[in-house]
Amino acid sequence: MKFFRELEPDVYLGVGKLETEQDGHGWTGEYDALLARGRLMAIIVTDGDRPLPPAGKPMILWMKTRKAELARLVAGTVHVIEDEEERGSMERALPGRAKASPYPVAIAATEAEALEKARVILDHAVAEACAAVK
């Protein structure tokens, strides 16, 4: 995969630059493959991997059409924002942004912290899913 790397089972790190429309379509194809597994997962996104507008357009359109599936299979996304001021700004904006997101969103200062948060989010979602089955 060019745009996602599995860090551990069901935890993926977004990788690769998203600059062109073709990149956006490649990202959506890979994300479709992850969703096709039918398993809960957590995604970690680093601050430097924000898509440029040409890549972002197909990604946004794809997310709108997959909102229910994303809500069902993505336990959460953790954004790594190393800059303290920017991280604080994002944390303050999180409640408003959470309303638009089909899955929980968290913020971390480092990839290591993001991995820990992703594990907690995923474990919680799996426990909830198991309880719902009982």
Side-chain angles (χ1 to χ4, degrees):
M1 291 190 131
K2 179 180 177 181
F3 297 105
F4 294 94
R5 185 180 70 204
E6 189 172 33
L7 297 178
E8 54 189 53
D10 303 319
V11 178
Y12 294 88
L13 174 67
V15 295
K17 296 295 178 194
L18 296 162
E19 300 174 330
T20 66
E21 187 173 344
Q22 183 177 358
D23 290 340
H25 288 295
W27 180 92
T28 62
E30 288 184 15
Y31 215 136
D32 273 334
L34 293 176
L35 293 173
R37 300 170 326 120
R39 295 175 51 95
L40 283 168
M41 67 182 133
I43 306 292
I44 298 172
V45 181
T46 60
D47 191 39
D49 290 335
R50 290 185 184 158
L52 295 178
K57 185 176 180 181
M59 294 167 70
I60 290 168
L61 294 172
W62 176 88
M63 290 186 91
K64 286 181 179 181
T65 63
R66 303 293 192 294
K67 197 167 189 170
E69 194 172 11
L70 290 166
R72 185 172 59 83
L73 294 173
V74 179
T77 297
V78 183
H79 292 265
V80 179
I81 303 175
E82 293 178 2
D83 181 85
E84 188 175 345
E85 284 185 39
E86 190 173 344
R87 190 172 56 255
S89 176
M90 178 72 151
E91 287 171 344
R92 287 187 296 279
L94 208 50
R97 292 184 66 159
K99 293 177 185 175
S101 178
Y103 42 74
V105 177
I107 309 297
T110 66
E111 282 188 35
E113 180 186 352
L115 181 57
E116 285 301 317
K117 287 185 176 193
R119 287 175 181 146
V120 169
I121 289 168
L122 187 58
D123 288 347
H124 180 73
V126 168
E128 282 186 344
C130 289
V133 172
K134 290 181 181 179

